[in-house]
Amino acid sequence: MKTRSELREIIIKILYEISIYEETDFDYDINSLIKEQLEIENNYVHDCINGIIKNRDEIIKLANKYLNDWTMDRLNKVDQAILLLGIYELMYTETPSIVSINEAIELSKKYSDEAVTKMINGVLDKIYHEEIK
């Protein structure tokens, strides 16, 4: 059984794959991509991937609102995926806000540099304080 943190890492990988496929106009099946990454079905992964895709425009709009002098499309695909998941968890799930933010920061520490980690932290913190509270 995978931990939530491990599942978040899988979600980031799937979101990354999707962004590459979309950029190259490559046809893909979401369920097949998920199955490639998971040995057993997982509702959390399915719900997050499908929820992020369904709400992507709103999530990107929210990210762009709080990215100072940046936009989502200027971030690399991994950082975009981390931010998509972090914002999705904050806005659309029952995951405690502190957990959503901390998990996104931990993913960022693993896959990004310190400046990006600070930026992701700042964006999620602003969304928490200005959109949720």
Side-chain angles (χ1 to χ4, degrees):
M1 190 82 173
K2 294 197 179 296
T3 66
R4 270 287 164 98
S5 295
E6 291 169 326
L7 293 173
R8 283 182 181 92
E9 211 163 325
I10 288 169
I11 292 166
I12 297 304
K13 290 176 185 174
I14 296 167
L15 290 172
Y16 177 83
E17 259 185 293
I18 289 170
S19 68
I20 297 291
Y21 289 148
E22 288 179 348
E23 189 174 80
T24 57
D25 289 327
F26 187 84
D27 283 337
Y28 65 91
D29 176 61
I30 291 171
N31 293 324
S32 297
L33 294 179
I34 293 171
K35 279 184 183 141
E36 286 172 21
Q37 296 288 335
L38 288 173
E39 305 84 49
I40 53 173
E41 287 278 315
N42 186 285
N43 288 339
Y44 173 73
V45 173
H46 273 275
D47 292 349
C48 283
I49 295 291
N50 288 301
I52 289 166
I53 288 169
K54 178 179 171 227
N55 297 292
R56 185 170 24 192
D57 291 344
E58 289 81 26
I59 294 169
I60 290 171
K61 195 183 297 179
L62 200 53
N64 286 340
K65 180 178 176 182
Y66 294 104
L67 278 164
N68 293 335
D69 305 320
W70 278 78
T71 53
M72 276 287 270
D73 58 357
R74 286 184 61 197
L75 299 175
N76 74 43
K77 293 184 183 329
V78 174
D79 297 332
Q80 287 179 27
I82 294 168
L83 211 42
L84 285 170
L85 177 58
I87 294 171
Y88 175 77
E89 277 199 302
L90 271 178
M91 300 301 294
Y92 298 93
T93 72
E94 299 296 314
T95 305
S97 298
I98 190 77
V99 173
S100 301
I101 294 169
N102 285 342
E103 288 287 334
I105 290 166
E106 289 307 312
L107 283 165
S108 184
K109 284 179 182 175
K110 187 170 183 177
Y111 292 104
S112 303
D113 64 32
E114 195 177 328
V116 173
T117 299
K118 285 181 181 172
M119 182 185 59
I120 288 173
N121 184 23
V123 169
L124 295 176
D125 190 58
K126 284 180 195 163
I127 289 171
Y128 171 68
H129 286 290
E130 296 184 28
E131 304 288 336
I132 296 172
K133 275 193 148 182

